[in-house]
Amino acid sequence: MDTVSPVTTAATQNEPRGEQTRRLIVDTAVRLFQEQGYDKTTMRGIAQAAGLSVGNAYYYFPSKDHLVQEFYERIHIDHRFAAAPALATKTEFAERLHAVLAAGVDAMAPYHGFAGKFFRIAADPASPLSPFSAESTPSRERSLSLFRDVVDGTTTKIDPELKPDLPELLWLAHLGMTLYWVHDRSPNQTKTRLLVDRAVPLIDRLVALSKLRVLRPVTREALALYRTLRPSTPSPSP
Amino acid sequence: MDTVSPVTTAATQNEPRGEQTRRLIVDTAVRLFQEQGYDKTTMRGIAQAAGLSVGNAYYYFPSKDHLVQEFYERIHIDHRFAAAPALATKTEFAERLHAVLAAGVDAMAPYHGFAGKFFRIAADPASPLSPFSAESTPSRERSLSLFRDVVDGTTTKIDPELKPDLPELLWLAHLGMTLYWVHDRSPNQTKTRLLVDRAVPLIDRLVALSKLRVLRPVTREALALYRTLRPSTPSPSP
DNA sequence: GTCTATAGTGGGATAGAC
DNA sequence: GTCTATCCCACTATAGAC
């Protein structure tokens, strides 16, 4: 319901020179995006509100789109924060997964209003902001580690054939959930929350069933296919 | 390998006046997009190359983005065309589905170069070009009908509980395939084609297995969840 | 209803002085 | 690192020709 966000971007002590300016720009941008939406917030507006020149903003961020990447950062921090307690205490796979996904929805909630806009940006595979791009490897890696944590920290028995790929598969599921969330117009994103509540037990059951004799060949083939076709680590841009 | 495209946009006989201009604009735009990409093609450029004024282009298309919607149209026509023979002759579910998906990849192939750009546009849920928007209902409906055709025309026995939702599910799978295709940098989109070749038998087996006793509850729950959460028909914009 | 010409607005991005 | 000035382009407005 209310925000989980602990992201106060203070701590302005003993900092590399431009770091303060950088933060000032991001803070202002984030605020304006929330107040007026992505499109109506102009670079001029951001610069003015921050008491800087436009050129200066571009000194730190090569494009307006790049300011969006800062959201990923902040959302991820909130996400980890909100998921931490459950990851530290729960041991069952389903519980851990549910906690992380639900925490994800909570972390994103404050930005739902203009989520479509930054989703639009992320959707372009040529964009450095695509979740699959080389440039976003660090943030992707951080996000992935959450799901590694889900898998590694559980006492639930998991098919050893599936286990190595499971974190990445869950991360993709999380991406899918986000895709649904972006399109979810229900109040407070109730439908996405319902999706999490009901999809997690399903996934849990599927993971359990994957060892089943009748399903074994299908599981094997699906996994093999995934390994063949999964996006390879992108080479850094030239 | 080579293009299937039969879309010669001729047939310029006895046509409502503006229809020719409209087509001229689209043809020019498509050509320029292919030659120089979406971003580098300007409205000025399109107008000039077509021998028209900018204002005239805007008379027919409210925005540059709207020109992209014409692609969907053309791709769909090519798609139907390429899929038609198989749909008329094959009777097995897997064969029919494979034909339609493979035809889809072929139909999109000529535009892969800048697919990311028009995908970016479609990704914004607020955009009228989103595949889920009210404004694109006709094109979505046309696309859906292809998959209805796949299901209705098969002699393969399909679980009656699944059958009514299957076309929409396949359409979503097609969307997913497109998402993969957009990110597929392999030459001639080999990986997407491989995905189709290997995913279709998997889907086929899953559809067959869905009746299985052990799986029945999972199938039921998954379907129920899908029905609850699937995007409702969007209300027309105010 | 179709089309031209022209002038103007606003905003993303850049060059180059300081 | 910061600023000012400038460019380019999507898009709008308008006034009028066919």
Side-chain angles (χ1 to χ4, degrees), chain A residues 38-184:
Chain A
Y38 183 76
D39 286 340
K40 281 191 186 152
T41 303
T42 70
M43 289 301 277
R44 285 166 171 80
I46 295 167
Q48 200 188 346
L52 301 166
S53 72
V54 187
N56 201 3
Y58 276 101
Y59 177 80
Y60 289 97
F61 299 94
S63 80
K64 187 180 170 186
D65 286 1
H66 277 78
L67 278 167
V68 167
Q69 199 150 32
E70 301 299 316
F71 277 103
Y72 301 162
E73 221 51 47
R74 299 188 171 206
I75 288 174
H76 177 73
I77 292 169
D78 286 356
H79 191 177
R80 258 228 171 273
F81 183 83
L87 285 179
T89 56
K90 313 278 188 187
T91 56
E92 288 200 16
F93 174 70
E95 284 179 316
R96 294 172 71 80
L97 179 58
H98 185 274
V100 168
L101 291 181
V105 180
D106 286 339
M108 296 189 297
Y111 311 108
H112 189 266
F114 57 97
K117 282 301 169 336
F118 66 63
F119 179 66
R120 170 175 181 155
I121 291 156
D124 184 347
S127 162
L129 280 81
S130 156
F132 302 104
S133 79
E135 210 163 323
S136 62
T137 301
S139 96
R140 180 173 60 248
E141 210 45 53
R142 271 191 290 277
S143 189
L144 245 169
S145 78
L146 259 176
F147 293 98
R148 252 185 237 115
D149 212 343
V150 167
V151 174
D152 289 345
T154 185
T155 53
T156 306
K157 219 37 190 162
I158 291 171
D159 181 359
E161 229 173 305
L162 173 64
K163 201 163 183 175
D165 290 302
L166 195 52
E168 208 172 275
L169 287 168
L170 295 177
W171 177 74
L172 282 173
H174 175 248
L175 230 55
M177 183 202 76
T178 305
L179 185 61
Y180 186 82
W181 174 83
V182 165
H183 286 85
D184 181 2

Side-chain angles (χ1 to χ4, degrees), chain B residues 17-18 21 44 51-53 55-56 59-60:
Chain B
R17 273 251 290 309
T21 313
R44 286 167 171 79
L52 300 166
S53 70
N56 202 6
Y59 178 77
Y60 289 98

